[in-house]
Amino acid sequence: MSVTVDGDKSGLVPVRVRRILRGPRPEKVPALVGTACTLIGLIDIAAGVFPRFRASRMHAVAEVLPGTLGPLSAALSLSAGVLLLLLAHGLKRHKRRAWRAAVVLLPLGAVAQFVWRHSVLGALLSLVLLTLLVRHRGEFAALPDPRSRWRALANFVVMGAGSIALGLVIVSAHPRRVVGSPSLADRLEHVLYGLLGIEGPVAYTKGVDWTVGYSLGALGMLTALTTIYLAFRPEHPAARLTDDDETRLRALLDQHGGRDSLGHFALRRDKGVVFSPSGKAAVCYRVVSGVMLASGDPIGDVEAWPGAIERFMDEAKAHSWTPAVMGCSETGGQVWTRETGLDALELGDEAVVDVADFSLSGRAMRNVRQMVKRIERNGYTTQVRRVRDLDADELERVRRAAADWRGTDTERGFSMALGRIGAPGDGDAVIATAHKDDDTSPYGDLKAIIHFVPWGTDGMSLELMRRDRSADPGMNELLIVAALQASPALGIARVSLNFAMFRAALARGEKIGAGPVLRLWRGLLVFLSRWFQIESLYKFNAKFRPRWEPRFVVYRNSRDLPRIGFAAMQAEGFVNLSLPRPFTRRRPAPAPRPCAHIVPAPTAEREAHAA
């Protein structure tokens, strides 16, 4: 059957045939080429390492694939395989520099196929793949990711470890050609010497020494060359909030900051920002492991949100980053999905307390009321003030105490953390402090701190909770109650507390009549709460009888969710892939972090049990 489509007026060529003749769709080319490079690279490495593979039927087929140089040597096969593996991920992500490297490598492979092996088919396949890359060069236009010269050291560590592991495989891949019975230590020594181009203690028969020696030397050379390249290439720093950006964002927050409780967190200095063409809206983001993470709703006028979202998506496409939004509201999720075609998934709920409805009276507040009264009887007092009302000495003391009580070298938080106290322009923030006379403390009578950032003109959002480890349990409850009771005098009508992941599943799963799937899901969340504050944070928030506002994660497809989740944990500070700092002072056990999506250190749970 013939069908006329896509401008073909003859009606003589079937649709399926025409699609085959035209080749893959342009957007599928990077994935196709990247997968081909991965498979060919693995085949090349196997051909260089395992002698049986080089004599197998599979290798007879592999010899005609691009990048396979067959008879040249195992060393060249290893080098080609490693290079193709290094290029594969960049090609899948549409990276321009990976495309340039592949365009240079493939003609060399074609020449080697024809001159060395006289293989017309091998050279032809290399040229076909090269033609595919050149024809669809417009698909490979992604700009570089943020990077620094620390990447060179990380490459040296990773490539070095991989070369040692692969070298051990190479040394052990010729059991019938080994002289004697070298130990594991001897083989490891042989690998380390071989990476430097020096002959090691392991000996072989029938010329295998040269094969192993050249293979190890090739791995060492690749490790050195890639490290040198990364060390001397230009840096491409991550986007940071400039003074002009901050001024424009503050102007938008002054007009529209009351819409989203996470709005003020857009002023984090480690975020970048894109503005709508009119300048009336903005999206703040951070790039982590190739994921472009936005948090909360766009800032500014809702009518201008689509323009800012379009700029955000254009930036993600230009760099081939995976777009994602963490913790947006229902309105924000609707706009994101409508304008971009992305999907949304409920992530959890934000606890919001209406000050006018809050009271310590009643049976439901009995536990909180008793805890607060007990702590007050132990001699603790509280103060709730705007940050601008603190003098310089007291503000500095609060900052030092908050840093020392943090408990970790990493400042955690991204979506619901500001990362600073008392910076210029943050005078409207509210700080609640607990005090008790203590001559032994370096911070005097200061025992606990809670910091709130502005949420429009009549609200505030919890940003940080820190306490002295020697203070009595219940400091968090004491200061939250004090802040809620002092809110009317400060003109505060609503207070945003912590974010509780999967709150709805936890709440419904413990009710009578919950189905087996829901109970199983709740059981898994309770199990994970041993390491992350999931259930305990939900129960801590529920003490204050809040209303729950759902929050969503926006993503492109379900395959991206694991990657987005891992990037979010990196951004929040719970997964740290940076190099260790051996000269920094070790801190005591982790302090509570109430403001992140996934919060370890179950301080709130311990205090609830103590009550």
Side-chain angles (χ1 to χ4, degrees):
M1 178 179 178
S2 299
V3 183
T4 303
V5 294
D6 298 335
D8 189 307
K9 299 181 180 180
S10 64
L12 300 177
V13 183
V15 176
R16 183 175 298 179
V17 174
R18 282 205 305 277
R19 287 179 178 174
I20 294 174
L21 292 176
R22 290 172 181 170
R25 288 180 296 176
E27 64 271 17
K28 298 293 184 180
V29 171
L32 176 64
V33 172
T35 302
C37 283
T38 301
L39 294 176
I40 295 169
L42 292 175
I43 290 174
D44 286 348
I45 292 174
V49 173
F50 302 106
R52 292 183 179 179
F53 182 87
R54 292 196 293 273
S56 66
R57 293 181 179 179
M58 183 63 188
H59 185 257
V61 176
E63 281 185 333
V64 301
L65 294 176
T68 311
L69 305 180
L72 272 176
S73 69
L76 289 177
S77 185
L78 274 174
S79 301
V82 172
L83 289 173
L84 288 172
L85 285 180
L86 293 176
L87 291 175
H89 184 63
L91 290 173
K92 285 184 177 181
R93 296 188 57 209
H94 306 247
K95 291 300 182 181
R96 188 68 175 178
R97 292 190 175 184
W99 178 87
R100 291 172 180 170
V103 167
V104 172
L105 182 62
L106 287 173
L108 295 178
V111 171
Q113 288 283 347
F114 185 76
V115 174
W116 183 258
R117 295 188 59 254
H118 307 292
S119 172
V120 177
L121 180 59
L124 182 61
L125 287 177
S126 297
L127 294 176
V128 167
L129 188 56
L130 176 64
T131 302
L132 189 64
L133 285 173
V134 173
R135 179 181 177 184
H136 298 283
R137 58 185 176 274
E139 294 294 317
F140 300 90
L143 301 175
D145 291 342
R147 60 174 182 254
S148 68
R149 290 195 168 88
W150 286 107
R151 185 70 61 86
L153 183 56
N155 176 83
F156 177 76
V157 173
V158 174
M159 284 284 292
S163 297
I164 292 174
L166 188 55
L168 286 174
V169 175
I170 294 172
V171 171
S172 305
H174 309 270
R176 298 181 181 179
R177 300 289 185 266
V178 178
V179 177
S181 300
S183 63
L184 179 61
D186 293 332
R187 297 181 183 187
L188 181 60
E189 182 180 355
H190 191 87
V191 170
L192 294 176
Y193 278 121
L195 294 176
L196 299 176
I198 304 173
E199 186 176 355
V202 181
Y204 298 89
T205 61
K206 296 185 178 180
V208 177
D209 300 76
W210 293 99
T211 301
V212 173
Y214 279 120
S215 298
L216 295 176
L219 290 176
M221 181 184 66
L222 284 177
T223 301
L225 291 179
T226 54
T227 301
I228 292 172
Y229 167 74
L230 293 174
F232 287 96
R233 69 176 179 173
E235 292 191 35
H236 191 263
R240 289 290 185 268
L241 207 64
T242 65
D243 293 339
D244 180 62
D245 292 336
E246 184 174 347
T247 300
R248 296 175 66 183
L249 285 174
R250 288 187 182 276
L252 293 177
L253 288 172
D254 288 341
Q255 300 179 39
H256 308 282
R259 183 175 296 278
D260 185 16
S261 62
L262 274 61
H264 199 84
F265 299 118
L267 299 175
R268 284 180 62 101
R269 303 279 164 74
D270 60 354
K271 288 185 177 181
V273 60
V274 289
F275 290 91
S276 65
S278 65
K280 295 182 179 180
V283 175
C284 294
Y285 66 92
R286 182 178 171 188
V287 179
V288 183
S289 297
V291 178
M292 191 175 183
L293 279 175
S295 59
D297 293 342
I299 308 299
D301 189 353
V302 175
E303 294 183 358
W305 283 7
I309 290 173
E310 183 179 1
R311 289 281 180 88
F312 175 88
M313 297 300 293
D314 289 343
E315 188 77 4
K317 182 178 180 180
H319 293 83
S320 190
W321 291 329
T322 300
V325 185
M326 299 296 297
C328 65
S329 68
E330 187 171 2
T331 301
Q334 290 174 350
V335 176
W336 274 100
T337 55
R338 185 185 70 233
E339 296 297 326
T340 63
L342 302 178
D343 290 327
L345 179 68
E346 186 172 343
L347 189 62
D349 295 271
E350 177 188 9
V352 179
V353 178
D354 294 315
V355 173
D357 299 332
F358 177 76
S359 173
L360 283 178
S361 60
R363 184 176 180 83
M365 299 298 295
R366 178 184 176 186
N367 289 337
V368 176
R369 182 172 64 250
Q370 290 179 344
M371 179 177 289
V372 171
K373 295 298 183 183
R374 176 178 57 81
I375 297 174
E376 289 177 344
R377 287 195 300 269
N378 289 341
Y380 287 89
T381 59
T382 60
Q383 288 184 289
V384 181
R385 294 160 288 174
R386 298 281 185 182
V387 169
R388 61 171 173 263
D389 296 331
L390 276 69
D391 58 49
D393 292 339
E394 187 175 7
L395 181 58
E396 180 60 27
R397 182 159 57 102
V398 167
R399 287 172 175 165
R400 289 189 292 108
D404 190 59
W405 294 342
R406 184 174 65 220
T408 62
D409 291 328
T410 303
E411 180 70 52
R412 288 175 174 161
F414 167 70
S415 299
M416 298 182 70
L418 191 61
R420 61 180 186 265
I421 299 177
D426 293 337
D428 287 337
V430 174
I431 190 164
T433 53
H435 305 266
K436 184 180 181 181
D437 292 336
D438 187 353
D439 296 334
T440 63
S441 173
Y443 308 109
D445 63 349
L446 186 62
K447 288 298 179 182
I449 303 164
I450 287 188
H451 184 233
F452 298 86
V453 298
W455 173 13
T457 58
D458 63 345
M460 60 184 184
S461 184
L462 180 60
E463 190 266 336
L464 174 143
M465 292 197 299
R466 301 275 167 80
R467 68 180 182 90
D468 190 337
R469 309 298 288 181
S470 64
D472 292 351
M475 290 292 103
N476 295 335
E477 288 87 344
L478 173 68
L479 288 181
I480 288 178
V481 169
L484 290 171
Q485 292 176 337
S487 291
L490 297 173
I492 302 297
R494 51 186 179 164
V495 178
S496 170
L497 300 179
N498 304 319
F499 177 86
M501 284 193 67
F502 308 117
R503 182 208 65 87
L506 290 169
R508 292 196 300 264
E510 64 184 355
K511 291 182 178 180
I512 297 176
V517 176
L518 189 56
R519 288 183 180 274
L520 180 63
W521 176 227
R522 182 183 180 278
L524 177 61
L525 293 176
V526 172
F527 175 75
L528 294 176
S529 295
R530 297 180 180 183
W531 297 276
F532 303 103
Q533 271 192 3
I534 299 176
E535 183 185 31
S536 58
L537 197 58
Y538 155 57
K539 291 183 176 180
F540 178 81
N541 291 333
K543 292 180 182 179
F544 304 97
R545 317 301 295 174
R547 55 182 170 89
W548 299 99
E549 297 288 342
R551 291 281 174 173
F552 299 84
V553 55
V554 178
Y555 59 97
R556 185 165 50 192
N557 55 63
S558 57
R559 296 190 305 273
D560 293 334
L561 284 176
R563 185 180 181 188
I564 292 171
F566 185 73
M569 293 188 70
Q570 286 182 262
E572 299 286 0
F574 301 119
V575 176
N576 188 7
L577 300 182
S578 62
L579 296 172
R581 294 179 290 175
F583 300 106
T584 55
R585 180 170 62 92
R586 292 191 64 182
R587 297 180 180 272
R593 283 295 302 171
C595 52
H597 292 313
I598 306 176
V599 185
T603 304
E605 187 175 20
R606 288 201 305 270
E607 294 184 354
H609 291 168

